[in-house]
């Protein structure tokens, strides 16, 4: 996508009910902030569960990832997107052949035939046996080292959250959520989103409203706001705290918790003058793992709200907008 577009093409313009100008978000409400340095474990577990059940998103602080590594992560992503379109296209994904890893600038059209205002780079990060470094950016040269270091850290944070959430849900073992999602074979997918300046941002969406099909999504934004979440009948503009990770509850945790935790509905807006970027890491079970409500969370008072199926089947139905 060219960042020098001065006139907005029609295929980006949303219908009136979808436009940001017609569905203004509430400003000044902070999403829950969870500190991993909270000395009282019971308080930490309670606050985390409350955020997951009431919001489906929280800002995670004191997570142990160095500011310098987050700065490097942003830098290597920004450097790739500074390349010419010709250079970026050398890394283009090819969904028609089943290859979804790589750079993409032509978005999937929704039913209204409208396109999202975003370019992105997508690739697998973990487990090592499934990673194909040929699909990773070659420029800048430091991309691989930085991303491999971040993979270790974000995997640790994922497992920490899953343990705390297992405790909060009252599961008999704190490793249950992790094991239900594939254990050490949990897959991590990186998606770097780049939203160029837009001449009429009030008429477009960077990403339309959706929930993530992941278990968790851990997001690192740049300093340009745009993330909004749906709560209590309103869009809420998310204020970004420096050095915080933004943790989204995804569909798989909602299913495993039998609806106690909420997969957060969210959207992304764009800016007229500045480029917005975000680094999203989706944690998903391997394709053949069977996901359904955990048995101990299902009883006469709380019957099963979701069907049980492989993640591959779930993904297929979600992508093709079929009932689950």
């Amino acid at each position: 996508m060219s960042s020098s577009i001065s006139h907005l093409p029609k295929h980006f313009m949303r219908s009136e009910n979808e436009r940001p100008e017609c569905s203004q978000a509430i400003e000044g409400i902070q999403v829950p902030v969870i500190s991993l340095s909270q000395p009282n474990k019971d308080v930490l577990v309670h606050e985390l569960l409350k955020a997951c059940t009431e919001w489906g998103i929280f800002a995670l602080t004191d997570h142990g990832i160095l500011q310098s590594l987050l700065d490097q992560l942003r830098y290597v992503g920004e450097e790739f997107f500074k390349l010419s379109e010709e250079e970026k296209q050398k890394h283009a994904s090819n969904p028609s052949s089943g290859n979804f890893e790589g750079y993409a600038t032509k978005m999937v059209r929704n039913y209204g035939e409208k396109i999202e205002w975003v370019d992105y780079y997508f690739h697998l990060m973990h487990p090592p046996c499934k990673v194909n470094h040929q699909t990773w950016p070659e420029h800048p040269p430091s991309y691989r080292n930085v991303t491999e270091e971040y993979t270790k850290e974000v995997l640790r944070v994922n497992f920490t959250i899953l343990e705390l959430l297992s405790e909060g849900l009252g599961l008999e073992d704190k490793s249950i959520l992790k094991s239900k999602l594939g254990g050490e074979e949990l897959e991590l997918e990186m998606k770097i989103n780049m939203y160029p300046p837009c001449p009429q941002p009030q008429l477009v969406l960077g990403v339309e409203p959706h929930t993530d099909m992941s278990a968790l999504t851990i997001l690192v934004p740049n300093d340009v706001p745009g993330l909004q979440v749906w709560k209590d009948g309103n869009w809420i503009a998310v204020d970004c705290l420096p050095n915080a990770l933004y943790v989204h509850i995804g569909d798989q945790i909602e299913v495993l918790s039998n609806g106690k935790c909420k997969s957060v509905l969210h959207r992304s807006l764009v800016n007229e003058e500045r480029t917005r970027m975000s680094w999203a890491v989706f944690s998903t079970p391997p394709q053949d793992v069977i996901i359904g409500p955990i048995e101990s969370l299902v009883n006469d008072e709380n019957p099963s709200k979701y069907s049980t199926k492989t993640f591959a089947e779930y993904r297929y139905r979600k992508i093709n907008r079929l009932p689950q």
Side-chain angles (χ1 to χ4, degrees), residues 80-272:
F80 173 81
F81 279 100
K82 287 177 183 175
L83 294 174
S84 68
E85 191 63 28
E86 182 183 9
E87 284 297 313
K88 288 184 287 193
Q89 283 293 345
K90 291 178 181 177
H91 294 275
S93 60
N94 188 2
S96 60
S97 68
N99 176 26
F100 293 93
E101 295 189 72
Y103 168 72
T105 186
K106 292 186 177 176
M107 304 301 102
V108 177
R109 294 186 175 218
N110 71 0
Y111 283 146
E113 294 298 306
K114 300 302 179 185
I115 299 179
E116 297 170 320
W117 190 269
V118 60
D119 296 349
Y120 66 85
Y121 203 109
F122 177 85
H123 68 78
L124 198 64
M125 303 167 75
H126 183 85
C129 62
K130 293 183 180 176
V131 170
N132 176 10
H133 289 114
Q134 301 288 322
T135 65
W136 290 26
E138 293 172 359
H139 179 85
S142 56
Y143 183 90
R144 178 169 171 174
N145 283 343
V146 170
T147 303
E148 286 181 340
E149 191 60 36
Y150 184 63
T151 300
K152 295 175 196 169
E153 293 295 313
V154 82
L155 188 64
R156 171 184 59 78
V157 171
N158 262 281
F159 288 156
T160 298
I161 294 168
L162 292 175
E163 285 188 2
L164 292 168
L165 199 47
S166 292
E167 290 188 47
L169 290 168
L171 305 178
E172 59 269 26
D173 190 310
K174 66 181 183 180
S175 66
I176 285 184
L177 281 177
K178 176 182 172 181
S179 63
K180 290 285 185 184
L181 292 164
E184 295 296 329
E185 296 305 303
L186 180 79
E187 297 187 7
L188 298 182
E189 302 166 339
M190 168 68 86
K191 188 181 180 198
I192 308 173
N193 298 297
M194 193 278 287
Y195 309 90
C198 175
Q200 293 175 283
Q202 72 279 12
L203 302 182
V204 310
L205 289 171
V207 177
E208 62 190 34
H210 68 287
T211 61
D212 293 340
M213 70 175 85
S214 59
L216 299 172
T217 302
I218 296 182
L219 188 82
V220 172
N222 71 351
D223 61 348
V224 180
L227 175 63
Q228 299 184 348
V229 299
W230 184 256
K231 186 177 189 297
D232 301 331
N234 292 292
W235 287 109
I236 309 290
V238 177
D239 293 329
C240 292
L241 298 175
N243 201 27
L245 305 176
Y246 284 80
V247 182
H248 299 208
I249 296 299
D251 297 348
Q252 304 315 302
I253 292 292
E254 179 171 321
V255 171
L256 286 165
S257 70
N258 199 30
K260 186 156 189 179
C261 299
K262 305 301 180 190
S263 185
V264 64
L265 183 69
H266 56 288
R267 67 181 185 179
S268 293
L269 272 55
V270 298
N271 192 282
E272 187 171 3

Side-chain angles (χ1 to χ4, degrees), residues 299-316:
N299 52 44
D300 291 341
E301 291 180 5
N302 299 290
S304 177
K305 298 180 176 72
Y306 307 89
S307 63
T308 296
K309 61 180 76 71
T310 63
F311 180 62
E313 173 73 7
Y314 188 95
R315 183 184 283 245
Y316 175 82

